[in-house]
Amino acid sequence: MATIVNTPTVKEELQNLLKESRQANEAAVNYLRHNGVELNFDEWLTPKKYAEKFNVSLQVVQNWINRGIVPAENIRVVEELNDLKLIKAVPYK
């Protein structure tokens, strides 16, 4: 007789991963707040997410940052998150 192993379905696994992701995000935000850093993650994006949102290549975004097209006040480096670089989610050109 075969033993039936009770394994989670793909849907359940995805739900668990999403839950863990939300918890990790919440923990990161709480950590930053505790250390005096306030960021609205709707307004600040990683360069990769910025490129996706505004339909440009990541290389273009990096070039804009390096050439100063993205103003310094619109760039944040979050040391507490392993030097995560964020840029303000507004159009540049």
Side-chain angles (χ1 to χ4, degrees):
M1 196 184 266
T3 304
I4 298 176
V5 179
N6 188 11
T7 59
T9 65
V10 172
K11 182 178 178 181
E12 290 169 332
E13 287 181 37
L14 287 173
Q15 288 172 335
N16 287 336
L17 287 171
L18 286 171
K19 181 180 177 184
E20 290 173 11
S21 175
R22 286 186 200 102
Q23 290 171 340
N25 185 42
E26 185 176 327
V29 169
N30 289 336
Y31 176 84
L32 291 172
R33 280 192 188 123
H34 178 74
N35 289 294
V37 178
E38 282 290 329
L39 285 176
N40 179 345
F41 287 99
D42 293 327
E43 295 178 13
W44 295 88
L45 303 171
T46 64
K48 181 179 179 182
K49 290 294 183 185
Y50 182 93
E52 291 170 2
K53 180 175 180 169
F54 290 96
N55 199 29
V56 295
S57 73
L58 178 57
Q59 186 61 51
V60 166
V61 176
Q62 295 294 351
N63 288 342
W64 288 348
I65 292 170
N66 294 338
R67 292 177 29 215
I69 293 170
V70 178
E73 63 268 13
N74 289 359
I75 300 170
R76 299 280 306 259
V77 177
V78 184
E79 294 174 6
E80 297 87 352
L81 295 179
N82 207 24
D83 291 333
L84 176 69
K85 185 181 285 188
L86 300 171
I87 62 175
K88 192 148 186 139
V90 296
Y92 302 103
K93 285 199 182 182

